[in-house]
């Protein structure tokens, strides 16, 4: 398919190659960013700090979107996976700082664990690279 493009992380996570996945995939006007962690390469950022981990994970996801020329304004959906309910407010604070102006649909789920036990947060981001003026489909811009 010529309208599908895949990118890897600038500094790939330890799992991209071993699990065989792309950091982000653009299919038509939709861009899907895979589960993204607070790792940069093999270095975990914000150990023990859910706010910092959320910020770094979302920053990594937004860097993948930048490979397609997209920014935070194109984000239409986010998902946050947390290992502890006690971290909801801190992860939510990081989300609000980044996405308050664009208000994507968002999901937050508490999970029993992530691939590395030091991780408290993993995120996913979906973006749309079509019209961004907010007008309903078919309405004049």
């Amino acid at each position: 398919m010529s309208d599908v493009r895949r990118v890897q992380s600038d500094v790939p996570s330890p799992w991209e190659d071993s699990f065989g996945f792309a950091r982000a995939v653009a299919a038509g006007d939709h861009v899907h960013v895979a589960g993204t962690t607070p790792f940069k390469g093999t270095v975990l950022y914000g150990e023990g700090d859910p706010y910092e981990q959320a910020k770094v994970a979302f920053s990594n996801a937004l860097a993948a979107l930048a490979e397609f020329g997209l920014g935070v304004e194109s984000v239409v959906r986010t998902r946050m996976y947390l290992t502890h309910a006690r971290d909801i407010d801190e992860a939510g604070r990081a989300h609000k700082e980044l996405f308050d102006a664009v208000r994507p649909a968002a999901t937050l789920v508490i999970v029993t664990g992530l691939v590395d036990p030091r991780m408290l947060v993993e995120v996913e981001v979906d973006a749309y690279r079509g019209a961004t003026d907010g007008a309903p489909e078919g309405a004049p811009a």
Side-chain angles (χ1 to χ4, degrees):
M1 289 168 73
S2 62
D3 62 344
V4 175
R5 182 173 158 231
R6 294 165 177 82
V7 298
Q8 299 303 130
S9 298
D10 287 339
V11 180
S13 77
W15 303 285
E16 284 178 53
D17 285 336
S18 63
F19 289 8
F21 69 92
R23 171 60 42 215
V25 176
D29 282 339
H30 301 275
V31 180
H32 308 280
V33 180
T36 305
T37 70
F39 271 89
K40 292 184 185 226
T42 59
V43 177
L44 173 68
Y45 286 78
E47 187 166 352
D49 183 344
Y51 169 76
E52 188 63 27
Q53 285 196 15
K55 281 181 39 178
V56 172
F58 277 123
S59 172
N60 289 343
L62 291 170
L65 287 181
E67 292 291 319
F68 298 98
L70 301 176
V72 68
E73 70 285 347
S74 66
V75 174
V76 295
R77 181 172 187 82
T78 60
R79 293 172 198 85
M80 295 171 278
Y81 304 95
L82 307 179
T83 58
H84 299 286
R86 69 173 184 245
D87 297 335
I88 290 171
D89 290 341
E90 289 301 291
R93 180 168 65 103
H95 187 278
K96 182 177 175 81
E97 287 176 7
L98 289 166
F99 300 107
D100 194 32
V102 296
R103 299 283 174 130
T107 300
L108 187 147
V109 178
I110 305 302
V111 298
T112 58
L114 297 168
V115 69
D116 183 305
R118 298 172 297 160
M119 291 188 316
L120 305 172
V121 178
E122 184 167 334
V123 303
E124 294 177 346
V125 172
D126 294 328
Y128 181 70
R129 56 184 175 175
T132 58
D133 63 3
E137 190 173 320

